[in-house]
Amino acid sequence: MKRFYNAPEQMVDEVLEADAHLRSVRLSSRKSGMRILVRDDWDKNDQGRTQVALLSGGGAGHEPAHAGFVGEGMLTCAVSGSVFASPSVDAVMAGLREVCGEAGCLMIVKNYTGDRLNFGLAAERARAEGLKVDMVIVADDIALDDAPQPRGIAGTIAIHKIAGYYAAQGTSLDELRPLVDDAASRLASLGMALDGATLPGQEPSPRSPELGLGIHNETGAKDVSPESAREAMTLVLAPLMEAMQSRHGSKVQVIALLNNLGRCTAQEMMVLTHALLETLGPDRLPMLIGPAPMMTSLDMHGFSITLLPFESDLETALSAPATAPGWPGIRHVTTPDRFEPDVSDQNSVLTDNAPQDDHIAAALRRVTAALIDAREELDALDAKSGDGDAGASFEQGAKAIEQALDDARLPTERWVPALKGIGELLARDMGGSSGVLLSILFTTTSAALEESDGDWGHALAQGVERMQTYGGARKGDRTMLDALIPAMDAVRDGGDIKAMAHAARQGADATAEMKEARAGRASYIPGDRLEGVVDPGAEAIARALKALAQPD
């Protein structure tokens, strides 16, 4: 199974039924063989209603179009066919009969032969029954210069919204049709995809990137090979802006509708949005619709852009409220109001010409040298239980401390400020969770050492306790704590630095016998791969304390 479908032939019905479960709409019975969705607040026989009904539809596979745009301020009714297939004339007729009252009904149809014929014939039959029906055809695709009948694609959604606004104002059908026709004539759309759509029940068929392909998987106008999102945006936007400028003048401001054709991730769509804004800027692009999936093509990995001139009537219509769940709303484009983050630390002990003590500085340099020398061995241990960068992380932290010592920025006249400064350096310069955890250890230990008037056992206990609180690990979980906690216990029992180093060494060696890790990346590794392997964090602690215990 490569797609989350049940029986492919049931997909459309299941989509519509799920939609109908979740909002206030009426759905045609499945036994009718028709797929019609109608606003549940719509009563065509309401004598006080002067609002024209709006009906649209077409093949399925374009979700949320068309059913997702049924709601106040947009469509009254959507009629769906099978995937990429127009609904039958009978289905369109049934939709018209359901919603067309005295004010009449305007059908909004994409410019495809099947849709034009089936909706057109339904319109003729409806008129013969005495229903007041008219139709607007949307032909917004500019991919094919010589196309006698340009396709209707994502710009249709903007027309749904514009028509919905005017209908909600009580505009008569005779007045509504030319208004919507005029709006449709002012927009242009173009799409690009890296590959095509996969129909339910079929295997994917790889395709090259194409510009101007259709939403029914039609071949694009030409093959392209963009190297970046910015280049892809330029390929789509350039012909669109040329079309808009030829119609509306070289200084035209535009409204853009940025449509996800199905498979672009949220990140991709925002990167494409950035490219669009970067190209046009707020001066040329004051309003954006999306980015969002609106007129998709199943799982096509692509996007389309629709441009409309930024004119007051279109702005008003597109900005009006609507309850249709598929409508993403409009966004006004502005220049970001930037600020400079305050990264200063008023309590930092890292200063130029910091007071120095040769004994403490020498001890720290022994530790940093030991960790730098151990990089390859620690990385090798980590490669067996993690992602192989533990040595690099400890080296990074050690070098930051060495540089601060070289620059006389780390105060070493007492252990309290020295530990606090090391905590600052590790938080800033040592990568990974180890850097943060050790920063917590040193920062807390420093403060506790100051408060307890030099009680190292108490201070280290406080630091380890905070590491456990924030990190979530405990002794026996196969982490650096398995070396730290024995060292802490040793000093609390009255031991000196050599006793701490010995306890840490024993604790680190014991991790090789632990067949299960319960914290960190090693927790995802099978136990048999951990057997005999010392935890790299515990090993680093043991080596650091051994170096600290060496005489000056």
Side-chain angles (χ1 to χ4, degrees):
M1 190 172 92
K2 296 181 180 179
R3 298 288 188 277
F4 290 106
Y5 295 130
N6 297 311
E9 65 275 8
Q10 296 176 8
M11 187 268 284
V12 179
D13 293 305
E14 290 173 351
V15 167
L16 290 175
E17 287 176 11
D19 190 10
H21 274 294
L22 301 176
R23 59 191 179 106
S24 300
V25 290
R26 294 185 292 119
L27 179 65
S28 56
S29 66
R30 190 181 282 204
K31 69 178 181 180
S32 71
M34 299 175 184
R35 295 147 176 162
I36 307 169
L37 203 72
V38 180
R39 281 173 51 179
D40 75 339
D41 64 339
W42 188 266
D43 181 3
K44 68 176 183 180
N45 296 315
D46 182 352
Q47 298 299 315
R49 183 181 291 279
T50 60
Q51 187 172 332
V52 173
L54 299 177
L55 182 149
S56 189
H62 305 303
E63 290 75 16
H66 298 82
F69 299 103
V70 171
E72 292 182 51
M74 292 192 77
L75 298 178
T76 314
C77 174
V79 186
S80 177
S82 298
V83 174
F84 294 171
S86 179
S88 67
V89 175
D90 286 344
V92 179
M93 273 298 302
L96 287 170
R97 293 188 185 112
E98 192 68 26
V99 299
C100 188
E102 288 187 9
C105 180
L106 179 67
M107 296 195 297
I108 301 168
V109 179
K110 301 187 302 298
N111 195 23
Y112 286 94
T113 301
D115 289 344
R116 287 201 318 272
L117 292 177
N118 288 1
F119 282 80
L121 179 54
E124 295 302 318
R125 287 175 52 183
R127 292 186 190 108
E129 288 186 7
L131 299 179
K132 190 176 180 181
V133 176
D134 212 334
M135 187 165 79
V136 167
I137 296 176
V138 182
D140 53 315
D141 188 10
I142 65 164
L144 303 172
D145 291 335
D146 55 353
Q149 295 287 340
R151 297 171 293 204
I153 54 176
T156 308
I157 306 305
I159 298 305
H160 290 164
K161 182 67 183 65
I162 293 165
Y165 166 75
Y166 285 119
Q169 304 308 303
T171 307
S172 69
L173 182 60
D174 290 341
E175 296 173 313
L176 182 60
R177 160 67 190 275
L179 284 171
V180 177
D181 253 337
D182 175 64
S185 71
R186 286 188 273 168
L187 56 82
S189 300
L190 185 63
M192 175 190 288
L194 301 180
D195 59 28
T198 303
L199 273 68
Q202 297 186 11
E203 288 297 312
S205 179
R207 285 164 60 171
S208 300
E210 297 172 351
L211 177 67
L213 71 175
I215 58 173
H216 300 126
N217 234 9
E218 305 98 317
T219 302
K222 65 178 180 179
D223 291 344
V224 291
S225 54
E227 296 295 326
S228 64
R230 184 178 292 107
E231 186 177 343
M233 179 59 64
T234 298
L235 287 168
V236 174
L237 200 54
L240 280 171
M241 285 302 294
E242 183 179 344
M244 296 303 289
Q245 289 170 348
S246 67
R247 299 177 191 179
H248 306 288
S250 60
K251 296 182 179 181
V252 61
Q253 289 183 298
V254 294
I255 301 167
L257 182 151
L258 181 51
N259 173 54
N260 186 345
L261 284 168
R263 205 194 317 164
C264 289
T265 64
Q267 291 80 10
E268 287 177 287
M269 292 306 297
M270 290 309 292
V271 170
L272 288 166
T273 301
H274 181 268
L276 174 62
L277 298 173
E278 186 180 54
T279 303
L280 295 182
D283 291 340
R284 297 298 296 274
L285 179 65
M287 182 185 290
L288 177 66
I289 302 165
M294 289 173 268
M295 181 72 73
T296 64
S297 181
L298 292 171
D299 63 345
M300 184 177 286
H301 194 172
F303 69 97
S304 69
I305 297 175
T306 300
L307 296 183
L308 304 91
F310 182 68
E311 296 171 351
S312 59
D313 60 330
L314 299 180
E315 178 190 9
T316 300
L318 292 168
S319 300
T323 64
W327 177 247
I330 61 100
R331 301 184 184 194
H332 294 286
V333 179
T334 61
T335 299
D337 184 9
R338 296 186 182 275
F339 68 97
E340 288 300 327
D342 183 358
V343 295
S344 63
D345 185 351
Q346 301 301 323
N347 297 314
S348 175
V349 297
L350 299 174
T351 61
D352 293 334
N353 300 314
Q356 301 293 306
D357 175 86
D358 291 342
H359 176 73
I360 293 177
L364 293 177
R365 287 187 183 277
R366 292 197 301 274
V367 173
T368 58
L371 292 174
I372 292 170
D373 289 344
R375 172 182 173 161
E376 291 187 4
E377 293 177 70
L378 294 175
D379 279 346
L381 287 175
D382 194 35
K384 297 176 182 179
S385 60
D387 54 6
D389 67 350
S393 293
F394 278 98
E395 180 189 49
Q396 190 177 30
K399 285 185 174 180
I401 295 169
E402 279 198 344
Q403 189 63 54
L405 289 169
D406 290 344
D407 296 341
R409 289 184 54 78
L410 177 64
T412 60
E413 85 277 17
R414 293 186 302 120
W415 276 109
V416 168
L419 294 177
K420 186 174 188 300
I422 291 171
E424 291 182 45
L425 290 167
L426 297 183
R428 187 187 70 190
D429 296 327
M430 183 174 173
S433 57
S434 295
V436 178
L437 287 167
L438 288 172
S439 178
I440 292 170
L441 172 69
F442 284 107
T443 302
T444 305
T445 299
S446 171
L449 193 63
E450 183 83 54
E451 293 170 1
S452 64
D453 197 25
D455 185 340
W456 279 95
H458 169 77
L460 284 170
Q462 290 295 305
V464 169
E465 189 274 330
R466 293 292 174 83
M467 285 182 73
Q468 292 178 306
T469 297
Y470 295 118
R474 296 291 183 269
K475 185 179 179 181
D477 286 352
R478 205 177 186 282
T479 70
M480 68 175 78
L481 287 171
D482 290 302
L484 272 172
I485 291 176
M488 175 195 71
D489 290 340
V491 74
R492 293 179 77 182
D493 291 340
D496 59 9
I497 184 61
K498 289 184 178 180
M500 291 178 65
H502 179 70
R505 180 73 269 165
Q506 289 184 318
D509 290 344
T511 62
E513 306 305 318
M514 297 176 185
K515 296 182 179 180
E516 180 183 7
R518 292 188 289 272
R521 288 188 176 90
S523 62
Y524 305 113
I525 303 297
D528 57 355
R529 288 180 55 186
L530 298 175
E531 189 172 359
V533 179
V534 174
D535 176 73
E539 179 67 22
I541 296 299
R543 293 192 182 211
L545 288 174
K546 179 182 178 181
L548 193 64
Q550 298 299 315
D552 290 346

